[in-house]
Coordinates of all heavy atoms in Angstrom, one line a residue:
S54 N -165.0 78.9 -72.5 CA -166.2 79.5 -72.9 C -166.3 81.0 -72.7 O -165.4 81.6 -72.0 CB -167.3 78.9 -72.0 OG -167.2 79.3 -70.6
D55 N -167.2 81.6 -73.4 CA -167.3 83.1 -73.1 C -167.6 83.5 -71.7 O -167.0 84.4 -71.2 CB -168.5 83.6 -73.9 CG -168.3 83.8 -75.5 OD1 -167.2 83.4 -75.9 OD2 -169.1 84.3 -76.2
R56 N -168.3 82.6 -71.0 CA -168.6 82.9 -69.6 C -167.3 82.8 -68.7 O -167.0 83.6 -67.8 CB -169.7 82.0 -69.0 CG -170.1 82.3 -67.6 CD -170.6 83.7 -67.4 NE -170.8 84.1 -66.1 CZ -172.0 84.1 -65.5 NH1 -173.1 83.7 -66.1 NH2 -172.1 84.5 -64.2
E57 N -166.5 81.8 -69.0 CA -165.2 81.7 -68.2 C -164.3 82.9 -68.6 O -163.6 83.4 -67.7 CB -164.5 80.4 -68.6 CG -163.3 80.2 -67.7 CD -162.7 78.8 -67.9 OE1 -163.2 78.0 -68.7 OE2 -161.7 78.5 -67.2
T58 N -164.3 83.3 -69.9 CA -163.5 84.4 -70.3 C -163.9 85.6 -69.5 O -163.1 86.4 -69.0 CB -163.6 84.6 -71.8 OG1 -163.1 83.4 -72.5 CG2 -162.8 85.8 -72.2
L59 N -165.2 85.9 -69.5 CA -165.7 87.1 -68.8 C -165.2 87.1 -67.3 O -164.8 88.0 -66.8 CB -167.2 87.1 -68.8 CG -167.8 87.2 -70.2 CD1 -169.4 87.1 -70.1 CD2 -167.5 88.6 -70.8
S60 N -165.3 85.9 -66.7 CA -165.0 85.8 -65.2 C -163.6 86.0 -65.0 O -163.2 86.7 -64.1 CB -165.4 84.3 -64.8 OG -165.1 84.2 -63.4
R61 N -162.7 85.4 -65.8 CA -161.3 85.5 -65.6 C -160.8 87.0 -65.8 O -160.0 87.5 -65.0 CB -160.5 84.6 -66.5 CG -160.6 83.2 -66.1 CD -159.9 82.3 -67.1 NE -159.9 80.9 -66.8 CZ -158.9 80.2 -66.2 NH1 -157.8 80.9 -65.9 NH2 -159.0 78.9 -65.9
V62 N -161.3 87.7 -66.8 CA -161.0 89.1 -67.1 C -161.5 90.0 -66.0 O -160.8 90.9 -65.4 CB -161.5 89.5 -68.4 CG1 -161.5 91.0 -68.6 CG2 -160.7 88.8 -69.5
N63 N -162.8 89.7 -65.5 CA -163.4 90.5 -64.5 C -162.6 90.4 -63.2 O -162.3 91.4 -62.5 CB -164.8 90.0 -64.2 CG -165.7 91.1 -63.6 OD1 -165.7 92.3 -64.0 ND2 -166.3 90.7 -62.5
I64 N -162.2 89.2 -62.8 CA -161.5 88.9 -61.5 C -160.1 89.6 -61.6 O -159.6 90.2 -60.6 CB -161.3 87.5 -61.3 CG1 -162.7 86.8 -60.9 CG2 -160.3 87.2 -60.2 CD1 -162.7 85.3 -60.8
F65 N -159.4 89.5 -62.8 CA -158.1 90.0 -62.9 C -158.0 91.5 -62.6 O -157.3 92.0 -61.9 CB -157.5 89.7 -64.3 CG -156.1 90.2 -64.5 CD1 -155.0 89.5 -64.0 CD2 -155.9 91.4 -65.1 CE1 -153.7 90.0 -64.2 CE2 -154.7 92.0 -65.3 CZ -153.5 91.2 -64.8
F66 N -158.9 92.3 -63.4 CA -158.8 93.7 -63.3 C -159.4 94.2 -62.0 O -159.0 95.3 -61.5 CB -159.5 94.3 -64.5 CG -158.6 94.3 -65.7 CD1 -158.9 93.4 -66.8 CD2 -157.4 95.1 -65.8 CE1 -158.1 93.3 -67.8 CE2 -156.6 95.0 -66.9 CZ -156.9 94.1 -67.9
N67 N -160.4 93.5 -61.4 CA -161.0 94.0 -60.1 C -160.1 94.0 -59.0 O -160.4 94.5 -57.9 CB -162.3 93.2 -59.8 CG -163.5 93.7 -60.6 OD1 -163.4 94.7 -61.4 ND2 -164.6 93.1 -60.5
K105 N -161.2 96.0 -69.4 CA -161.9 94.7 -69.6 C -162.4 94.6 -71.0 O -162.3 93.5 -71.6 CB -163.1 94.6 -68.7 CG -162.7 94.5 -67.1 CD -164.0 94.7 -66.3 CE -163.5 94.7 -64.8 NZ -164.7 94.8 -63.9
L109 N -161.3 91.5 -73.5 CA -162.3 90.6 -74.0 C -162.3 90.5 -75.6 O -162.4 89.5 -76.1 CB -163.7 91.0 -73.5 CG -164.0 90.8 -72.0 CD1 -165.3 91.5 -71.6 CD2 -163.9 89.4 -71.6
I114 N -163.9 87.7 -78.0 CA -165.3 88.1 -77.9 C -165.7 89.1 -78.9 O -165.0 90.2 -79.0 CB -165.6 88.6 -76.5 CG1 -165.1 87.6 -75.4 CG2 -167.1 88.9 -76.4 CD1 -165.9 86.4 -75.4
L119 N -170.5 93.1 -77.1 CA -170.0 93.9 -76.0 C -170.4 95.4 -76.1 O -170.5 95.9 -77.2 CB -168.5 93.8 -76.0 CG -167.8 92.5 -75.7 CD1 -166.3 92.6 -75.9 CD2 -168.1 92.0 -74.2
V135 N -169.8 100.4 -66.7 CA -169.7 98.9 -66.6 C -169.5 98.4 -68.0 O -169.7 99.1 -69.0 CB -170.9 98.2 -65.9 CG1 -171.0 98.8 -64.5 CG2 -172.2 98.5 -66.7
V136 N -169.2 97.0 -68.1 CA -169.2 96.4 -69.4 C -170.3 95.4 -69.4 O -170.7 94.7 -68.5 CB -167.9 95.6 -69.6 CG1 -167.9 94.7 -70.9 CG2 -166.7 96.5 -69.5
A137 N -171.1 95.4 -70.5 CA -172.2 94.5 -70.8 C -171.8 93.5 -71.8 O -171.3 93.9 -72.9 CB -173.4 95.3 -71.1
Y138 N -172.2 92.2 -71.6 CA -171.9 91.2 -72.5 C -173.4 90.6 -72.9 O -174.1 90.2 -72.1 CB -171.1 90.1 -71.9 CG -171.1 88.8 -72.7 CD1 -170.3 88.6 -73.8 CD2 -171.9 87.8 -72.3 CE1 -170.4 87.4 -74.6 CE2 -172.0 86.5 -73.0 CZ -171.2 86.4 -74.2 OH -171.3 85.2 -74.8
Y139 N -173.6 90.6 -74.2 CA -174.9 90.2 -74.8 C -174.6 88.7 -75.4 O -174.0 88.6 -76.5 CB -175.4 91.0 -75.9 CG -175.9 92.4 -75.3 CD1 -175.0 93.3 -74.9 CD2 -177.3 92.7 -75.2 CE1 -175.4 94.6 -74.5 CE2 -177.7 93.9 -74.7 CZ -176.7 94.8 -74.3 OH -177.2 96.0 -73.8
P140 N -175.1 87.7 -74.8 CA -175.0 86.3 -75.4 C -175.6 86.2 -76.8 O -175.0 85.6 -77.7 CB -175.6 85.4 -74.5 CG -175.7 86.1 -73.2 CD -175.8 87.6 -73.5
V145 N -180.9 89.6 -72.4 CA -180.5 90.5 -71.3 C -179.0 90.3 -71.0 O -178.5 89.2 -70.9 CB -181.3 90.2 -70.1 CG1 -180.8 91.0 -68.8 CG2 -182.8 90.4 -70.3
P146 N -178.2 91.4 -71.0 CA -176.7 91.2 -70.9 C -176.3 90.9 -69.5 O -177.0 91.1 -68.5 CB -176.2 92.7 -71.3 CG -177.3 93.6 -70.9 CD -178.6 92.8 -71.1
L147 N -175.1 90.3 -69.5 CA -174.4 90.2 -68.2 C -173.5 91.4 -68.0 O -172.9 91.9 -68.9 CB -173.5 88.9 -68.3 CG -174.2 87.6 -68.5 CD1 -173.2 86.4 -68.8 CD2 -175.1 87.2 -67.3
I148 N -173.4 91.7 -66.6 CA -172.7 93.0 -66.3 C -171.4 92.7 -65.6 O -171.4 92.0 -64.6 CB -173.6 93.9 -65.4 CG1 -174.9 94.2 -66.1 CG2 -172.9 95.1 -65.0 CD1 -174.7 94.9 -67.4
L149 N -170.3 93.3 -66.1 CA -169.0 93.2 -65.5 C -168.8 94.5 -64.8 O -168.8 95.6 -65.5 CB -167.9 92.9 -66.5 CG -167.7 91.5 -67.0 CD1 -168.9 91.0 -67.9 CD2 -166.5 91.3 -67.8
D150 N -168.5 94.5 -63.5 CA -168.5 95.7 -62.7 C -167.4 95.7 -61.6 O -167.2 94.7 -61.0 CB -169.9 95.9 -62.1 CG -170.1 97.2 -61.3 OD1 -169.2 98.2 -61.4 OD2 -171.2 97.4 -60.7
N151 N -166.7 96.8 -61.4 CA -165.8 96.9 -60.3 C -166.4 97.1 -58.9 O -165.8 96.9 -57.9 CB -164.7 97.8 -60.6 CG -165.2 99.3 -60.7 OD1 -165.9 99.7 -61.6 ND2 -164.9 100.1 -59.6
L152 N -167.7 97.6 -58.9 CA -168.4 97.9 -57.7 C -168.9 96.5 -57.1 O -168.9 96.3 -55.9 CB -169.6 98.8 -57.8 CG -169.2 100.2 -58.2 CD1 -170.6 101.0 -58.3 CD2 -168.4 100.9 -57.1
D153 N -169.4 95.6 -58.0 CA -169.9 94.3 -57.6 C -169.1 93.3 -58.4 O -169.4 93.2 -59.6 CB -171.4 94.3 -57.9 CG -172.1 93.0 -57.4 OD1 -171.3 92.0 -57.2 OD2 -173.3 92.9 -57.3
G154 N -168.2 92.6 -57.8 CA -167.4 91.6 -58.6 C -168.2 90.4 -59.1 O -167.6 89.7 -59.9
T155 N -169.4 90.1 -58.7 CA -170.1 89.0 -59.2 C -170.8 89.4 -60.5 O -171.5 90.4 -60.6 CB -171.2 88.6 -58.2 OG1 -170.6 88.2 -57.0 CG2 -172.0 87.4 -58.7
I156 N -170.6 88.6 -61.5 CA -171.2 88.9 -62.9 C -172.6 88.5 -62.8 O -173.0 87.4 -62.5 CB -170.5 88.1 -64.0 CG1 -169.0 88.6 -64.1 CG2 -171.2 88.3 -65.3 CD1 -168.2 87.8 -65.1
R157 N -173.5 89.5 -63.0 CA -175.0 89.3 -62.9 C -175.7 89.8 -64.2 O -175.1 90.6 -64.9 CB -175.5 90.0 -61.7 CG -174.8 89.8 -60.4 CD -175.6 90.5 -59.2 NE -174.8 90.5 -58.0 CZ -174.9 89.5 -57.1 NH1 -175.7 88.4 -57.4 NH2 -174.2 89.5 -56.0
R158 N -176.9 89.2 -64.4 CA -177.7 89.8 -65.5 C -178.1 91.2 -65.1 O -178.3 91.6 -64.0 CB -179.0 88.9 -65.6 CG -178.7 87.5 -66.2 CD -179.8 86.5 -66.0 NE -181.0 87.0 -66.4 CZ -181.6 86.7 -67.6 NH1 -180.8 85.9 -68.5 NH2 -182.8 87.1 -68.0
A159 N -178.4 92.0 -66.2 CA -178.7 93.4 -65.9 C -180.0 93.6 -65.2 O -180.2 94.4 -64.4 CB -178.9 94.1 -67.3
T160 N -180.9 92.6 -65.3 CA -182.2 92.6 -64.6 C -182.0 92.4 -63.1 O -182.9 92.6 -62.3 CB -183.1 91.5 -65.2 OG1 -182.4 90.3 -65.3 CG2 -183.7 92.0 -66.5
E161 N -180.8 91.9 -62.7 CA -180.5 91.7 -61.3 C -179.8 92.9 -60.6 O -179.5 92.9 -59.4 CB -179.6 90.4 -61.1 CG -180.3 89.1 -61.6 CD -179.3 88.0 -61.4 OE1 -179.3 87.3 -60.3 OE2 -178.6 87.7 -62.4
R162 N -179.5 93.9 -61.4 CA -178.8 95.0 -61.0 C -179.7 96.2 -60.8 O -179.6 97.2 -61.6 CB -177.6 95.4 -61.9 CG -176.5 94.3 -61.9 CD -175.9 94.1 -60.5 NE -175.4 95.4 -59.9 CZ -174.1 95.8 -60.2 NH1 -173.3 95.1 -61.0 NH2 -173.8 96.9 -59.6
D164 N -179.6 98.4 -58.8 CA -178.9 99.6 -58.3 C -178.3 100.4 -59.4 O -177.7 101.4 -59.2 CB -177.7 99.1 -57.4 CG -176.8 98.1 -58.0 OD1 -177.3 97.3 -58.8 OD2 -175.6 98.3 -57.8
L165 N -178.4 99.9 -60.7 CA -177.9 100.6 -61.9 C -178.9 101.0 -62.8 O -179.8 100.3 -63.1 CB -176.8 99.7 -62.6 CG -175.7 99.1 -61.8 CD1 -174.9 98.2 -62.7 CD2 -174.8 100.2 -61.1

Side-chain angles (χ1 to χ4, degrees):
S54 66
D55 280 7
R56 185 58 188 261
E57 184 173 3
T58 301
L59 297 175
S60 178
R61 287 176 178 261
V62 168
N63 199 52
I64 290 170
F65 178 84
F66 284 107
N67 279 357
K105 292 174 187 179
L109 293 171
I114 304 294
L119 296 173
V135 298
V136 177
Y138 165 81
Y139 291 76
V145 174
L147 299 172
I148 302 300
L149 284 68
D150 185 8
N151 65 289
L152 293 179
D153 183 344
T155 301
I156 297 176
R157 306 181 191 276
R158 288 160 57 92
T160 48
E161 299 177 88
R162 294 299 306 272
D164 58 318
L165 303 179

